[in-house]
Amino acid sequence: MTTKGDGVTDGGGEDTPADAAGAVDAAGAVDAQGGPLVRLDGVSKHYGNVRALEGVTLEVHAGEISCVLGDNGAGKSTLIKIIAGLHRHDAGSFRIEGEETTLGSPREALDRGIATVYQDLAVVPLMPVWRNFFLGSEPTRGKGPFRRLDVPFMRATTHAELRRMGIDLRDVDQPIGTLSGGERQCVAIARAVYFGAKVLVLDEPTAALGVKQSGVVLKYVAAARDAGLGVVLITHNPHHAYLVGDRFVLLKRGVMAGSHTRDEITLDELTRQMAGGSELDDLRHELERAPAPAHLGGRATKSA
Amino acid sequence: MTATAPAPAPAPGADGADGTDERLLGRSPLRKLLGRPELGSVVGAIAVFVFFAFAADSFVRGSSLSTVLYASSTIGIMAVPVALLMIGGEFDLSAGVLVTSSALISSMFSYQMTANVWVGVGVSLLVTLAIGAFNGFMLTRTRLPSFIITLGTYLMLTGMNLGFTQLIDGTVSTKSIADMDGFDSARALFASRFTLGGVGFRITILWWLALVVVATWILLRTRAGNWIFAAGGSRDAARAVGVPVARTKIGLYMGVALGAWIVGQHLLFSYDAVQSGEGVGNELIYIIAAVIGGCLITGGYGSAVGSAIGALIFGMTSKGIVFAEWDPDWFKFFLGAMLLLATLLNAWVRKRAEATA
């Protein structure tokens, strides 16, 4: 599973362009211990004249969790779409295990070992759990016109794999839409782990979940990391990110606002930066001082 | 597959033994039955049968049943691929006139170009499949709704059917090909009769049954079937896990074209000439049969068997009204009522299936 520093990766490290706008390159120090599974350098993406992403640098190592933090519209979705193969990047370099790549389709990304679990589109709600689990990579047996799904194997494996991750399913035949949001995320993660993904990209896995369910999902994220996968965790919740993350990349309006390893930053600082840093202070200032207008029952204009 | 821990013995029945049984109480055999897409249509088919059995004495005779099955089969052959297409999340409004196009191509090519009808039949298959592929290709490339794309093909084909027939034959129907080489063998394949228990049946019934079996096999037991459900249930989720959604949809449109070819050849070889204005409006009948059979109009749910039962309800109703000697005008009313009931039932099923815990 691990890819210890091979020649290709080292070569990749040398010609890294340092033109990434404002990118804090925390990579150099880590290259020695093993090449990153995925490395983005100054990656940009434009939609027409809209700059969705500009000069983003990100590393994903085996057995580590790289968190991408940002507010709505910060470019998080664009970033994962590039990694997942849904969009092609316009500029910068995208390396998988040291090899320069442009992914043309999600299938290609999967074949390269990158599995993505989306917040809303992880599963097809009306299909049974076992069909969802193997969707896109269905095992078959038999030959020619009698090549068919290996249904008993699919059912049994789904049941076993989910139980291994601690999901005790009533019935693998139930439509996956009847599972809770957290369970659906976990099924998707279990699926990625089972199919031998090297890199797991999670899009806001805890966004729509309650505290307890979020905890369950984060536990599986950590389990995937311990299994040796490199994890990209996209979130706007710094508390969740700091619980499991090893590196943190902050995005703001399409550009990088910071890049830190865990030992460089505290939760408070991460939260502050995530919330907009000094902007948050200004906002607090305004909220405290702003007198309520008269029509809302305040006394702001009474004296006037 | 990749090497995994040894899987436990596949024993669905044994799953309940490991502490999950108390939650399984909610899924009794009755509930499992209620979860089948065909349920509504089976109940409807039985009701329609009983109704006409009492309303018309001649309805339960062997020859009447043969007539009913024949009427059902010509709809059913198309309803099967249309149902698959709907499960895959799309419509095909051109399906009705495509049947006529297929028959016209076969007839006119044979008559004008060669002396053997089999050449025309082969050319017709290729052209019809190409039209299906065109529908699918346009849909996946433009990402326009299939309603618009196939409405366009529907109108174009309607015009071409009339226009080309007028241009080549000078009338609204093709010339008879009954005296050409290969007509008898082609008729044997597409439009012959066989006798079973003293009652004569049309061969389209066999085509229909074969298609239902093949389509059910594809849907439930092949990778392509899994992809059809996924493409219709959630296109983006399917694409994200690597399902070739575009390829699947193009394949589904070509399936509809294949059905249109079979029915088209049947029409041609049972009458030896084709009326160029036929087929308009039939596309809705196929869709209605599929919907009555439990296909969700939004895709992702349904079955081939259901579409067959939907077609059977169609055949029983259209012929039953004749046997009962009623005004055939009531046929449409009856159909509309069936459609509404079926759709309400489907909506209820979907709500139950998608309800999150």
Side-chain angles (χ1 to χ4, degrees):
Chain A
M1 188 62 69
T2 49
T3 51
K4 294 293 175 194
D6 46 293
V8 190
T9 315
D10 291 340
E14 276 169 23
D15 56 27
T16 299
D19 59 354
V24 184
D25 196 2
V30 200
D31 266 356
Q33 73 181 52
L37 290 172
V38 168
R39 185 187 167 105
L40 301 180
D41 256 313
V43 162
S44 304
K45 174 74 194 175
H46 300 219
Y47 298 110
N49 58 355
V50 178
R51 193 185 64 177
L53 210 59
E54 188 74 45
V56 170
T57 296
L58 172 76
E59 275 190 18
V60 187
H61 290 258
E64 284 189 8
I65 297 179
S66 303
C67 297
V68 177
L69 292 124
D71 210 342
N72 296 337
K76 303 190 301 275
S77 308
T78 309
L79 183 63
I80 55 166
K81 278 175 181 161
I82 291 170
I83 302 176
L86 281 163
H87 290 334
R88 292 157 197 261
H89 57 286
D90 294 327
S93 86
F94 176 10
R95 289 193 177 85
I96 298 175
E97 296 180 70
E99 191 186 326
E100 180 71 47
T101 320
T102 302
L103 295 173
S105 73
R107 181 78 256 171
E108 210 177 307
L110 279 170
D111 293 341
R112 302 291 298 269
I114 299 177
T116 309
V117 175
Y118 297 93
Q119 182 190 337
D120 324 314
L121 6 135
V123 295
V124 183
L126 281 167
M127 291 174 76
V129 175
W130 63 272
R131 281 186 185 270
N132 263 293
F133 191 90
F134 284 96
L135 187 58
S137 315
E138 298 87 350
T140 54
R141 61 177 176 182
K143 284 204 175 83
F146 298 104
R147 208 165 87 108
R148 60 198 185 274
L149 296 181
D150 195 347
V151 177
F153 171 80
M154 288 166 79
R155 282 179 206 264
T157 308
T158 305
H159 199 90
E161 286 297 312
L162 292 184
R163 201 162 41 187
R164 221 160 59 110
M165 293 204 72
I167 307 168
D168 182 18
L169 219 53
R170 279 153 281 188
D171 179 5
V172 289
D173 267 315
Q174 69 194 95
I176 204 163
T178 59
L179 299 185
S180 72
E183 283 175 313
R184 265 178 282 172
Q185 291 282 340
C186 294
V187 171
I189 294 173
R191 174 171 67 186
V193 172
Y194 174 77
F195 282 110
K198 290 182 224 165
V199 177
L200 183 61
V201 184
L202 300 166
D203 178 20
E204 307 255 8
T206 59
L209 303 181
V211 176
K212 199 174 168 192
Q213 293 241 346
S214 298
V216 172
V217 171
L218 287 175
K219 212 172 79 190
Y220 295 129
V221 174
R225 173 198 62 197
D226 295 340
L229 276 77
V231 180
V232 182
L233 178 66
I234 317 275
T235 179
H236 58 237
N237 188 328
H239 299 274
H240 288 165
Y242 202 76
L243 275 174
V244 293
D246 296 296
R247 316 159 174 269
F248 307 93
V249 169
L250 283 114
L251 292 182
K252 201 183 214 171
R253 305 180 68 154
V255 295
M256 277 179 56
S259 174
H260 312 276
T261 54
R262 189 186 178 83
D263 46 11
E264 286 173 1
I265 194 166
T266 62
L267 174 59
D268 284 346
E269 178 59 18
L270 191 66
T271 311
R272 205 183 69 82
Q273 285 199 13
M274 167 67 203
S278 55
E279 284 173 33
L280 185 67
D281 293 338
D282 292 346
L283 180 64
R284 184 185 297 130
H285 212 62
E286 278 176 36
L287 287 174
E288 277 170 2
R289 293 290 180 84
H295 66 275
L296 292 177
R299 277 166 290 181
T301 53
K302 262 190 182 162
S303 56
Chain B
M1 287 305 96
T2 51
T4 50
D15 286 345
D18 48 32
T20 58
D21 48 346
E22 79 276 8
R23 289 178 304 174
L24 269 172
L25 287 177
R27 200 164 167 83
S28 63
L30 178 70
R31 260 194 112 62
K32 251 181 182 161
L33 186 72
L34 283 173
R36 300 289 311 164
E38 305 91 359
L39 177 82
S41 59
V42 171
V43 173
I46 293 170
V48 169
F49 181 83
V50 171
F51 179 77
F52 281 113
F54 280 104
D57 294 333
S58 54
F59 188 72
V60 285
R61 277 190 217 137
S63 59
S64 309
L65 289 180
S66 166
T67 313
V68 165
L69 282 178
Y70 172 56
S72 309
S73 69
T74 52
I75 295 161
I77 289 173
M78 281 303 280
V80 168
V82 166
L84 259 57
L85 181 69
M86 284 186 73
I87 296 169
E90 306 295 343
F91 288 110
D92 190 351
L93 295 180
S94 68
V97 287
L98 188 56
V99 169
T100 312
S101 302
S102 186
L104 286 172
I105 294 163
S106 184
S107 165
M108 288 194 282
F109 192 89
S110 302
Y111 192 85
Q112 302 292 335
M113 298 295 181
T114 73
N116 193 314
V117 295
W118 282 103
V119 179
V121 169
V123 169
S124 169
L125 176 63
L126 292 180
V127 176
T128 311
L129 286 178
I131 295 170
F134 171 81
N135 272 334
F137 182 76
M138 288 293 284
L139 178 93
T140 51
R141 284 311 285 261
T142 62
R143 292 181 173 248
L144 287 170
S146 57
F147 187 91
I148 298 296
I149 301 274
T150 59
L151 187 63
T153 348
Y154 159 74
L155 291 171
M156 290 194 297
L157 286 177
T158 311
M160 278 162 67
N161 286 352
L162 295 169
F164 273 120
T165 313
Q166 185 71 34
L167 203 66
I168 294 170
D169 287 335
T171 60
V172 291
S173 69
T174 59
K175 297 198 170 65
S176 170
I177 55 165
D179 53 353
M180 290 178 66
D181 290 343
F183 184 84
D184 290 333
S185 56
R187 173 173 245 175
L189 182 63
F190 291 109
S192 60
R193 292 162 195 271
F194 63 97
T195 310
L196 198 72
V199 184
F201 290 95
R202 304 292 290 255
I203 198 167
T204 46
I205 297 167
L206 297 184
W207 279 100
W208 179 33
L209 290 179
L211 274 181
V212 171
V213 170
V214 170
T216 303
W217 167 263
I218 290 175
L219 263 186
L220 298 181
R221 284 295 174 268
T222 68
R223 303 187 69 186
N226 225 24
W227 297 345
I228 293 170
F229 278 113
S234 174
R235 187 180 66 187
D236 294 331
R239 186 166 177 250
V241 294
V243 172
V245 174
R247 212 144 48 84
T248 306
K249 291 199 169 178
I250 292 173
L252 286 171
Y253 275 101
M254 291 177 76
V256 174
L258 181 70
W261 175 76
I262 296 170
V263 178
Q265 305 316 301
H266 167 71
L267 289 181
L268 173 62
F269 290 108
S270 45
Y271 302 111
D272 72 40
V274 190
Q275 300 289 322
S276 58
E278 272 180 14
V280 175
N282 283 356
E283 62 283 341
L284 290 179
I285 293 178
Y286 308 142
I287 291 172
I288 292 167
V291 171
I292 289 177
C295 287
L296 274 183
I297 208 125
T298 43
Y301 193 76
S303 78
V305 175
S307 79
I309 296 168
L312 187 63
I313 288 178
F314 233 106
M316 285 197 292
T317 313
S318 64
K319 297 300 166 195
I321 284 174
V322 175
F323 289 127
E325 293 169 357
W326 294 344
D327 190 339
D329 292 346
W330 287 99
F331 173 61
K332 288 272 165 68
F333 168 82
F334 199 86
L335 216 62
M338 286 298 300
L339 180 67
L340 272 185
L341 280 173
T343 318
L344 281 173
L345 190 78
N346 287 347
W348 175 75
V349 166
R350 184 187 171 89
K351 213 153 121 194
R352 215 176 48 85
E354 281 202 327
T356 48

